[in-house]
Amino acid sequence: MPTTRWGTIQGRPIDFPMEVAELNAATMLFSVASDAAAALLPGSAFEIVETAPGVAQLIISVCDYRQNPWGDYNEVNLGFLARPAGAPDDEIGSFVYRMPVNQAFTCEAGNQVMGFPKTVEEIEIGYAGGMVDVRLASEGRLALALRLPRVAGEQAPERIAAVSYSYLAGEPYATPLEMDMATGFVDPADVVIELGEGPIADELRSLGLPRPPDWCGWGEGLSATFQLGASLAHRTEVR
Protein backbone atom coordinates (compact mmCIF):
# COMPACT_ATOMS: atom_id res chain seq x y z
CA MET A 1 0.00 0.00 0.00
CA PRO A 2 1.40 3.48 -0.88
CA THR A 3 2.42 5.56 2.09
CA THR A 4 2.43 9.31 2.69
CA ARG A 5 5.04 10.86 4.96
CA TRP A 6 3.54 13.67 7.05
CA GLY A 7 6.97 14.61 8.41
CA THR A 8 8.93 13.77 11.53
CA ILE A 9 8.46 14.30 15.27
CA GLN A 10 11.37 13.90 17.66
CA GLY A 11 13.31 12.52 14.70
CA ARG A 12 10.80 9.75 14.07
CA PRO A 13 8.95 9.51 10.74
CA ILE A 14 5.16 9.92 10.74
CA ASP A 15 3.72 7.83 7.91
CA PHE A 16 0.16 7.13 6.75
CA PRO A 17 -1.69 4.86 6.67
CA MET A 18 -0.66 4.33 10.29
CA GLU A 19 -1.13 0.66 11.10
CA VAL A 20 -1.80 -0.39 14.70
CA ALA A 21 -0.96 -4.08 14.76
CA GLU A 22 -2.25 -4.96 18.22
CA LEU A 23 -4.33 -3.39 20.97
CA ASN A 24 -6.72 -4.41 23.70
CA ALA A 25 -9.76 -2.19 24.14
CA ALA A 26 -12.86 -1.65 26.24
CA THR A 27 -15.70 0.41 24.76
CA MET A 28 -18.63 1.69 26.81
CA LEU A 29 -21.71 3.54 25.58
CA PHE A 30 -23.88 5.77 27.78
CA SER A 31 -27.08 7.67 27.03
CA VAL A 32 -26.65 11.20 28.42
CA ALA A 33 -28.46 14.53 28.22
CA SER A 34 -27.61 16.23 24.93
CA ASP A 35 -27.38 19.69 26.50
CA ALA A 36 -24.83 18.41 29.03
CA ALA A 37 -22.87 16.81 26.17
CA ALA A 38 -23.01 20.00 24.10
CA ALA A 39 -21.53 21.93 27.03
CA LEU A 40 -18.37 19.81 26.72
CA LEU A 41 -18.06 20.09 22.93
CA PRO A 42 -15.57 22.86 22.12
CA GLY A 43 -16.02 25.42 19.37
CA SER A 44 -18.93 25.70 16.94
CA ALA A 45 -17.78 23.62 13.95
CA PHE A 46 -19.34 20.40 15.26
CA GLU A 47 -22.66 19.48 16.81
CA ILE A 48 -23.87 16.67 19.04
CA VAL A 49 -25.78 13.82 17.39
CA GLU A 50 -28.98 13.00 19.25
CA THR A 51 -29.89 9.31 19.41
CA ALA A 52 -33.35 10.31 20.71
CA PRO A 53 -34.86 13.73 21.47
CA GLY A 54 -32.64 15.34 24.10
CA VAL A 55 -30.35 12.28 24.30
CA ALA A 56 -26.69 12.03 23.20
CA GLN A 57 -24.28 9.11 23.26
CA LEU A 58 -21.17 9.30 25.42
CA ILE A 59 -18.40 6.92 24.39
CA ILE A 60 -15.67 5.92 26.82
CA SER A 61 -12.89 3.84 25.28
CA VAL A 62 -9.85 2.44 27.05
CA CYS A 63 -7.02 1.34 24.77
CA ASP A 64 -3.98 -0.72 25.73
CA TYR A 65 -1.76 -0.30 22.67
CA ARG A 66 0.64 -3.25 22.40
CA GLN A 67 2.09 -2.75 18.90
CA ASN A 68 1.74 0.77 17.55
CA PRO A 69 4.21 2.93 15.57
CA TRP A 70 3.63 5.69 18.15
CA GLY A 71 4.42 3.51 21.19
CA ASP A 72 3.12 0.81 23.53
CA TYR A 73 1.00 3.21 25.52
CA ASN A 74 -2.31 3.38 27.40
CA GLU A 75 -5.09 5.76 26.39
CA VAL A 76 -8.55 6.79 27.65
CA ASN A 77 -10.96 8.41 25.17
CA LEU A 78 -13.94 10.46 26.32
CA GLY A 79 -16.19 11.65 23.50
CA PHE A 80 -19.58 11.84 21.82
CA LEU A 81 -21.25 10.95 18.58
CA ALA A 82 -21.07 14.16 16.54
CA ARG A 83 -21.15 15.62 13.03
CA PRO A 84 -19.94 18.79 11.33
CA ALA A 85 -22.40 21.60 12.05
CA GLY A 86 -25.21 21.55 9.50
CA ALA A 87 -24.18 18.21 7.98
CA PRO A 88 -26.84 15.67 6.89
CA ASP A 89 -28.34 13.51 9.62
CA ASP A 90 -26.60 10.37 8.33
CA GLU A 91 -23.14 11.94 8.58
CA ILE A 92 -21.95 10.70 11.97
CA GLY A 93 -18.53 10.38 13.55
CA SER A 94 -17.04 10.89 16.98
CA PHE A 95 -15.57 13.90 18.71
CA VAL A 96 -13.21 13.00 21.56
CA TYR A 97 -13.08 15.94 23.95
CA ARG A 98 -10.43 14.38 26.20
CA MET A 99 -7.75 11.83 25.28
CA PRO A 100 -5.31 11.20 28.15
CA VAL A 101 -2.29 9.02 27.33
CA ASN A 102 0.69 7.91 29.40
CA GLN A 103 3.56 8.56 26.95
CA ALA A 104 4.93 11.86 25.68
CA PHE A 105 5.66 10.94 22.05
CA THR A 106 2.12 9.86 21.18
CA CYS A 107 0.84 12.97 22.95
CA GLU A 108 2.95 15.27 20.78
CA ALA A 109 2.19 13.32 17.61
CA GLY A 110 -1.55 13.22 18.26
CA ASN A 111 -1.64 16.96 19.00
CA GLN A 112 0.41 18.04 15.99
CA VAL A 113 -0.72 15.56 13.33
CA MET A 114 -4.41 14.96 14.10
CA GLY A 115 -5.39 17.72 16.51
CA PHE A 116 -6.39 15.14 19.10
CA PRO A 117 -6.62 16.61 22.63
CA LYS A 118 -4.01 14.29 24.11
CA THR A 119 -2.47 15.06 27.49
CA VAL A 120 0.07 13.03 29.44
CA GLU A 121 -1.47 11.56 32.58
CA GLU A 122 -1.03 8.49 34.77
CA ILE A 123 -2.91 5.53 33.26
CA GLU A 124 -2.58 1.99 34.58
CA ILE A 125 -4.27 -1.02 32.99
CA GLY A 126 -3.97 -4.29 34.89
CA TYR A 127 -5.11 -7.85 34.25
CA ALA A 128 -5.68 -10.19 37.18
CA GLY A 129 -8.27 -12.73 38.26
CA GLY A 130 -10.19 -12.54 35.00
CA MET A 131 -10.73 -8.79 35.41
CA VAL A 132 -9.45 -5.63 33.74
CA ASP A 133 -8.65 -2.74 36.06
CA VAL A 134 -8.09 0.79 34.76
CA ARG A 135 -6.88 3.73 36.81
CA LEU A 136 -6.58 7.25 35.40
CA ALA A 137 -4.94 9.84 37.64
CA SER A 138 -4.06 13.48 36.99
CA GLU A 139 -1.59 15.44 39.11
CA GLY A 140 -1.45 12.54 41.52
CA ARG A 141 -5.22 12.46 42.11
CA LEU A 142 -7.55 9.69 40.97
CA ALA A 143 -9.86 10.94 38.22
CA LEU A 144 -11.47 7.73 36.94
CA ALA A 145 -11.29 4.03 37.79
CA LEU A 146 -12.94 1.22 35.82
CA ARG A 147 -13.26 -2.49 36.49
CA LEU A 148 -14.80 -5.03 34.11
CA PRO A 149 -14.60 -8.75 33.34
CA ARG A 150 -11.98 -9.88 30.83
CA VAL A 151 -14.45 -11.73 28.63
CA ALA A 152 -13.54 -13.74 25.53
CA GLY A 153 -14.74 -12.67 22.10
CA GLU A 154 -17.76 -14.53 20.78
CA GLN A 155 -16.53 -14.33 17.18
CA ALA A 156 -13.78 -12.82 15.07
CA PRO A 157 -13.58 -9.00 15.30
CA GLU A 158 -15.43 -7.07 12.60
CA ARG A 159 -13.57 -4.22 10.87
CA ILE A 160 -15.60 -1.00 10.59
CA ALA A 161 -14.92 2.39 9.00
CA ALA A 162 -15.23 5.51 11.15
CA VAL A 163 -14.19 9.15 11.32
CA SER A 164 -12.83 11.08 14.28
CA TYR A 165 -13.36 14.85 14.42
CA SER A 166 -11.06 17.38 16.05
CA TYR A 167 -9.57 20.86 15.72
CA LEU A 168 -6.09 21.06 14.20
CA ALA A 169 -4.43 24.47 14.51
CA GLY A 170 -7.85 25.87 15.34
CA GLU A 171 -9.54 24.49 12.21
CA PRO A 172 -12.10 21.65 12.11
CA TYR A 173 -10.45 18.42 11.02
CA ALA A 174 -11.49 14.86 10.19
CA THR A 175 -9.36 11.71 10.52
CA PRO A 176 -10.71 8.58 8.77
CA LEU A 177 -9.90 5.22 10.31
CA GLU A 178 -10.79 1.56 10.19
CA MET A 179 -10.85 -0.43 13.40
CA ASP A 180 -11.75 -3.84 14.77
CA MET A 181 -14.83 -3.92 16.95
CA ALA A 182 -14.65 -5.97 20.12
CA THR A 183 -16.90 -9.02 20.23
CA GLY A 184 -16.56 -9.84 23.91
CA PHE A 185 -19.84 -8.56 25.35
CA VAL A 186 -19.77 -7.50 29.00
CA ASP A 187 -22.88 -7.38 31.18
CA PRO A 188 -23.21 -3.66 31.99
CA ALA A 189 -24.09 -4.54 35.57
CA ASP A 190 -20.58 -6.03 35.92
CA VAL A 191 -18.86 -2.73 35.05
CA VAL A 192 -17.74 -0.78 38.12
CA ILE A 193 -17.00 2.93 37.66
CA GLU A 194 -15.46 5.20 40.28
CA LEU A 195 -14.98 8.93 39.90
CA GLY A 196 -12.37 10.83 41.83
CA GLU A 197 -11.38 14.50 41.76
CA GLY A 198 -10.58 17.13 39.19
CA PRO A 199 -11.97 18.29 35.82
CA ILE A 200 -12.33 14.84 34.25
CA ALA A 201 -14.35 13.51 37.17
CA ASP A 202 -16.45 16.68 37.35
CA GLU A 203 -17.26 16.52 33.62
CA LEU A 204 -18.36 12.90 33.87
CA ARG A 205 -20.54 13.74 36.88
CA SER A 206 -22.20 16.46 34.79
CA LEU A 207 -23.18 13.64 32.39
CA GLY A 208 -24.77 11.54 35.13
CA LEU A 209 -21.93 9.18 35.93
CA PRO A 210 -20.98 7.04 37.77
CA ARG A 211 -23.50 4.45 36.62
CA PRO A 212 -23.42 1.30 34.50
CA PRO A 213 -23.11 1.78 30.73
CA ASP A 214 -25.87 0.93 28.29
CA TRP A 215 -23.42 -1.36 26.47
CA CYS A 216 -19.87 -2.56 27.02
CA GLY A 217 -17.49 -4.54 24.83
CA TRP A 218 -14.00 -5.90 25.44
CA GLY A 219 -11.53 -7.13 22.83
CA GLU A 220 -7.94 -8.35 22.71
CA GLY A 221 -5.54 -8.59 19.79
CA LEU A 222 -7.49 -5.96 17.86
CA SER A 223 -6.04 -3.80 15.09
CA ALA A 224 -6.72 -0.42 13.50
CA THR A 225 -5.63 1.72 10.56
CA PHE A 226 -5.51 5.51 10.75
CA GLN A 227 -5.51 7.49 7.50
CA LEU A 228 -4.09 10.96 6.97
CA GLY A 229 -6.89 13.38 7.77
CA ALA A 230 -8.04 16.60 6.13
CA SER A 231 -9.24 20.05 7.15
CA LEU A 232 -12.97 20.78 7.07
CA ALA A 233 -12.44 24.55 7.22
CA HIS A 234 -13.49 25.27 3.63
CA ARG A 235 -16.58 23.11 3.99
CA THR A 236 -17.56 24.95 7.17
CA GLU A 237 -17.04 28.36 5.58
CA VAL A 238 -19.32 27.72 2.61
CA ARG A 239 -22.32 26.68 4.70
Coordinates of all heavy atoms in Angstrom, one line a residue, residues 148-201:
L148 N -13.9 -4.2 34.9 CA -14.8 -5.0 34.1 C -14.2 -6.4 33.9 O -13.0 -6.6 33.9 CB -15.1 -4.3 32.8 CG -13.9 -4.2 31.8 CD1 -14.4 -4.3 30.4 CD2 -13.3 -2.8 32.0
P149 N -15.1 -7.4 33.6 CA -14.6 -8.7 33.3 C -13.8 -8.8 32.0 O -14.2 -8.2 31.0 CB -15.9 -9.6 33.3 CG -16.9 -8.7 33.9 CD -16.6 -7.3 33.6
R150 N -12.8 -9.7 32.0 CA -12.0 -9.9 30.8 C -12.6 -11.0 30.0 O -12.1 -12.2 30.0 CB -10.5 -10.2 31.2 CG -9.5 -10.2 30.1 CD -8.2 -10.6 30.6 NE -7.2 -10.6 29.6 CZ -5.9 -10.9 29.8 NH1 -5.5 -11.3 31.0 NH2 -5.0 -10.9 28.7
V151 N -13.7 -10.7 29.3 CA -14.5 -11.7 28.6 C -13.8 -12.1 27.3 O -13.1 -11.2 26.7 CB -15.9 -11.3 28.4 CG1 -16.6 -11.1 29.7 CG2 -16.0 -10.0 27.6
A152 N -14.0 -13.3 26.8 CA -13.5 -13.7 25.5 C -14.5 -13.3 24.4 O -15.7 -13.2 24.6 CB -13.4 -15.3 25.5
G153 N -13.9 -13.0 23.2 CA -14.7 -12.7 22.1 C -15.6 -13.8 21.6 O -15.2 -15.0 21.7
E154 N -16.8 -13.5 21.2 CA -17.8 -14.5 20.8 C -17.5 -14.9 19.3 O -18.0 -16.0 18.9 CB -19.2 -14.0 21.0 CG -19.5 -13.8 22.5 CD -21.0 -13.4 22.7 OE1 -21.7 -13.4 21.7 OE2 -21.4 -13.1 23.8
Q155 N -16.8 -14.1 18.6 CA -16.5 -14.3 17.2 C -15.3 -13.5 16.8 O -14.8 -12.7 17.6 CB -17.7 -14.0 16.3 CG -18.2 -12.6 16.4 CD -19.5 -12.3 15.7 OE1 -20.4 -13.2 15.8 NE2 -19.7 -11.2 15.1
A156 N -14.9 -13.6 15.5 CA -13.8 -12.8 15.1 C -14.2 -11.3 15.0 O -15.3 -11.0 14.7 CB -13.4 -13.3 13.7
P157 N -13.3 -10.4 15.3 CA -13.6 -9.0 15.3 C -14.0 -8.6 13.9 O -13.6 -9.1 12.9 CB -12.3 -8.3 15.7 CG -11.5 -9.4 16.4 CD -11.9 -10.7 15.8
E158 N -14.9 -7.6 13.9 CA -15.4 -7.1 12.6 C -14.8 -5.7 12.4 O -14.8 -4.8 13.2 CB -16.9 -6.9 12.6 CG -17.5 -6.3 11.4 CD -19.0 -6.2 11.4 OE1 -19.6 -6.6 12.5 OE2 -19.6 -5.6 10.5
R159 N -14.2 -5.5 11.2 CA -13.6 -4.2 10.9 C -14.6 -3.2 10.4 O -15.4 -3.5 9.5 CB -12.5 -4.5 9.8 CG -11.8 -3.2 9.3 CD -11.0 -2.5 10.3 NE -9.9 -3.2 10.9 CZ -8.6 -3.0 10.5 NH1 -8.3 -2.0 9.7 NH2 -7.6 -3.6 11.1
I160 N -14.6 -2.0 11.0 CA -15.6 -1.0 10.6 C -14.9 0.3 10.2 O -13.7 0.5 10.7 CB -16.6 -0.7 11.7 CG1 -15.9 -0.1 12.9 CG2 -17.4 -1.9 12.1 CD1 -16.9 0.5 13.9
A161 N -15.5 1.1 9.4 CA -14.9 2.4 9.0 C -15.5 3.5 9.9 O -16.7 3.4 10.2 CB -15.2 2.7 7.5
A162 N -14.8 4.4 10.3 CA -15.2 5.5 11.2 C -14.5 6.8 10.8 O -13.6 6.8 10.0 CB -15.0 5.1 12.6
V163 N -14.9 7.9 11.5 CA -14.2 9.1 11.3 C -14.2 9.8 12.7 O -15.1 9.8 13.5 CB -14.9 10.1 10.3 CG1 -16.3 10.4 10.7 CG2 -14.1 11.3 10.1
S164 N -13.0 10.4 13.0 CA -12.8 11.1 14.3 C -12.6 12.6 14.0 O -11.7 12.9 13.2 CB -11.6 10.5 15.0 OG -11.6 11.0 16.3
Y165 N -13.4 13.4 14.6 CA -13.4 14.9 14.4 C -12.5 15.5 15.5 O -12.4 15.0 16.6 CB -14.8 15.5 14.4 CG -15.7 14.9 13.4 CD1 -16.9 14.3 13.7 CD2 -15.3 15.1 12.0 CE1 -17.7 13.9 12.7 CE2 -16.2 14.6 11.0 CZ -17.4 14.0 11.3 OH -18.2 13.5 10.4
S166 N -11.9 16.6 15.1 CA -11.1 17.4 16.1 C -10.9 18.8 15.5 O -11.4 19.2 14.5 CB -9.7 16.7 16.2 OG -9.0 16.6 14.9
Y167 N -10.0 19.6 16.2 CA -9.6 20.9 15.7 C -8.1 20.8 15.6 O -7.4 20.5 16.6 CB -10.0 22.0 16.7 CG -11.4 22.3 16.7 CD1 -12.3 21.7 17.7 CD2 -12.0 23.2 15.8 CE1 -13.6 22.0 17.7 CE2 -13.3 23.5 15.8 CZ -14.1 22.9 16.8 OH -15.5 23.2 16.8
L168 N -7.5 21.0 14.4 CA -6.1 21.1 14.2 C -5.7 22.5 13.9 O -6.2 23.1 12.9 CB -5.7 20.1 13.1 CG -4.2 20.0 12.7 CD1 -3.4 19.5 13.9 CD2 -4.0 19.1 11.5
A169 N -4.8 23.1 14.7 CA -4.4 24.5 14.5 C -5.6 25.4 14.5 O -5.7 26.4 13.7 CB -3.6 24.6 13.3
G170 N -6.7 25.0 15.2 CA -7.8 25.9 15.3 C -8.9 25.6 14.3 O -10.0 26.2 14.3
E171 N -8.6 24.8 13.3 CA -9.5 24.5 12.2 C -10.2 23.1 12.4 O -9.5 22.2 12.9 CB -8.8 24.5 10.9 CG -8.3 25.9 10.5 CD -7.8 25.9 9.1 OE1 -7.6 24.8 8.5 OE2 -7.5 27.0 8.5
P172 N -11.5 23.0 12.0 CA -12.1 21.7 12.1 C -11.4 20.7 11.2 O -11.0 21.0 10.1 CB -13.5 21.9 11.7 CG -13.5 23.2 10.9 CD -12.4 24.0 11.5
Y173 N -11.3 19.4 11.7 CA -10.5 18.4 11.0 C -11.1 17.1 11.2 O -11.8 16.8 12.1 CB -9.1 18.4 11.7 CG -8.0 17.7 10.9 CD1 -7.3 18.3 9.9 CD2 -7.6 16.4 11.3 CE1 -6.3 17.7 9.2 CE2 -6.5 15.8 10.6 CZ -5.9 16.4 9.6 OH -4.9 15.8 8.9
A174 N -10.9 16.2 10.2 CA -11.5 14.9 10.2 C -10.4 13.8 9.9 O -9.7 14.0 8.9 CB -12.6 14.7 9.2
T175 N -10.3 12.8 10.7 CA -9.4 11.7 10.5 C -10.1 10.4 10.3 O -10.8 9.9 11.2 CB -8.5 11.5 11.8 OG1 -7.7 12.7 12.0 CG2 -7.5 10.4 11.6
P176 N -10.1 9.9 9.0 CA -10.7 8.6 8.8 C -9.9 7.4 9.4 O -8.7 7.5 9.4 CB -10.7 8.5 7.2 CG -10.3 9.8 6.7 CD -9.5 10.4 7.8
L177 N -10.6 6.4 9.8 CA -9.9 5.2 10.3 C -10.8 4.0 10.1 O -12.0 4.1 9.9 CB -9.6 5.4 11.8 CG -10.8 5.5 12.7 CD1 -10.5 4.9 14.1 CD2 -11.1 7.0 13.0
E178 N -10.1 2.9 10.2 CA -10.8 1.6 10.2 C -10.3 0.9 11.4 O -9.1 0.9 11.8 CB -10.5 0.7 9.0 CG -10.8 1.4 7.6 CD -9.7 2.3 7.1 OE1 -8.6 1.9 7.1 OE2 -10.1 3.4 6.6
M179 N -11.2 0.2 12.1 CA -10.9 -0.4 13.4 C -11.7 -1.7 13.6 O -12.8 -1.8 13.1 CB -11.1 0.5 14.6 CG -12.5 1.0 14.7 SD -12.6 2.2 16.1 CE -14.4 2.6 16.0
D180 N -11.0 -2.6 14.4 CA -11.7 -3.8 14.8 C -12.7 -3.5 15.9 O -12.3 -2.9 16.9 CB -10.7 -4.9 15.2 CG -9.9 -5.5 14.1 OD1 -10.3 -5.2 12.9 OD2 -8.9 -6.1 14.4
M181 N -13.9 -4.0 15.8 CA -14.8 -3.9 16.9 C -14.7 -5.1 17.9 O -14.7 -6.3 17.4 CB -16.3 -3.8 16.4 CG -16.6 -2.4 15.8 SD -16.4 -1.1 17.0 CE -17.8 -1.5 18.1
A182 N -14.7 -4.9 19.2 CA -14.7 -6.0 20.1 C -15.9 -6.8 20.1 O -17.0 -6.3 19.9 CB -14.5 -5.4 21.5
T183 N -15.7 -8.1 20.2 CA -16.9 -9.0 20.2 C -17.1 -9.8 21.5 O -17.8 -10.7 21.6 CB -16.8 -10.0 19.1 OG1 -15.6 -10.8 19.2 CG2 -16.8 -9.3 17.7
G184 N -16.3 -9.3 22.6 CA -16.6 -9.8 23.9 C -17.6 -8.9 24.6 O -17.2 -7.8 24.9
F185 N -18.8 -9.4 24.8 CA -19.8 -8.6 25.4 C -19.9 -8.7 26.9 O -20.1 -9.8 27.4 CB -21.2 -8.9 24.7 CG -21.1 -8.7 23.2 CD1 -21.2 -9.8 22.4 CD2 -21.0 -7.5 22.6 CE1 -21.2 -9.7 21.0 CE2 -20.9 -7.3 21.3 CZ -21.0 -8.4 20.4
V186 N -19.8 -7.6 27.5 CA -19.8 -7.5 29.0 C -21.1 -7.1 29.5 O -21.7 -6.1 29.0 CB -18.7 -6.5 29.5 CG1 -18.7 -6.4 31.0 CG2 -17.3 -6.9 29.0
D187 N -21.6 -7.8 30.5 CA -22.9 -7.4 31.2 C -22.7 -6.0 31.8 O -21.8 -5.9 32.7 CB -23.3 -8.4 32.2 CG -24.6 -8.1 32.9 OD1 -25.1 -7.0 32.9 OD2 -25.2 -9.1 33.5
P188 N -23.4 -5.0 31.4 CA -23.2 -3.7 32.0 C -23.2 -3.6 33.5 O -22.5 -2.8 34.1 CB -24.3 -2.8 31.4 CG -24.7 -3.5 30.1 CD -24.5 -5.0 30.4
A189 N -24.0 -4.5 34.1 CA -24.1 -4.5 35.6 C -22.8 -5.0 36.2 O -22.5 -4.7 37.4 CB -25.2 -5.5 36.0
D190 N -21.9 -5.6 35.4 CA -20.6 -6.0 35.9 C -19.5 -5.0 35.8 O -18.3 -5.2 36.1 CB -20.1 -7.3 35.2 CG -21.0 -8.5 35.5 OD1 -21.6 -8.5 36.6 OD2 -21.1 -9.4 34.7
V191 N -19.8 -3.8 35.2 CA -18.9 -2.7 35.1 C -18.9 -1.8 36.3 O -20.0 -1.3 36.6 CB -19.2 -1.9 33.8 CG1 -18.2 -0.8 33.6 CG2 -19.1 -2.8 32.5
V192 N -17.8 -1.6 36.9 CA -17.7 -0.8 38.1 C -17.0 0.5 37.7 O -15.9 0.4 37.2 CB -17.0 -1.5 39.3 CG1 -16.9 -0.6 40.5 CG2 -17.8 -2.8 39.7
I193 N -17.6 1.6 38.0 CA -17.0 2.9 37.7 C -16.9 3.8 38.9 O -17.8 3.9 39.7 CB -17.9 3.7 36.6 CG1 -18.0 2.9 35.3 CG2 -17.3 5.1 36.4 CD1 -18.9 3.5 34.3
E194 N -15.7 4.3 39.1 CA -15.5 5.2 40.3 C -14.9 6.5 39.8 O -14.0 6.5 38.9 CB -14.4 4.6 41.2 CG -14.1 5.4 42.4 CD -13.0 4.9 43.3 OE1 -12.6 3.7 43.0 OE2 -12.5 5.6 44.2
L195 N -15.5 7.6 40.2 CA -15.0 8.9 39.9 C -14.3 9.5 41.1 O -14.7 9.4 42.2 CB -16.1 9.8 39.5 CG -16.9 9.4 38.2 CD1 -18.0 10.4 37.9 CD2 -16.0 9.3 37.0
G196 N -13.2 10.2 40.8 CA -12.4 10.8 41.8 C -12.5 12.3 41.9 O -13.6 12.9 42.0
E197 N -11.4 13.0 41.7 CA -11.4 14.5 41.8 C -10.9 15.1 40.5 O -10.3 14.4 39.6 CB -10.4 14.9 42.9 CG -10.8 14.4 44.3 CD -9.7 14.8 45.3 OE1 -9.8 16.0 45.7 OE2 -8.8 14.0 45.6
G198 N -11.1 16.4 40.3 CA -10.6 17.1 39.2 C -11.5 17.3 38.0 O -12.7 16.8 38.1
P199 N -11.1 18.0 36.9 CA -12.0 18.3 35.8 C -12.6 17.1 35.1 O -13.8 17.1 34.8 CB -11.1 19.1 34.9 CG -10.0 19.6 35.7 CD -9.8 18.6 36.8
I200 N -11.8 16.0 34.9 CA -12.3 14.8 34.3 C -13.5 14.2 35.0 O -14.5 13.9 34.5 CB -11.2 13.8 34.0 CG1 -10.2 14.4 33.1 CG2 -11.8 12.5 33.5 CD1 -8.9 13.5 32.9
A201 N -13.3 14.1 36.3 CA -14.3 13.5 37.2 C -15.6 14.4 37.2 O -16.7 14.0 37.1 CB -13.8 13.3 38.6

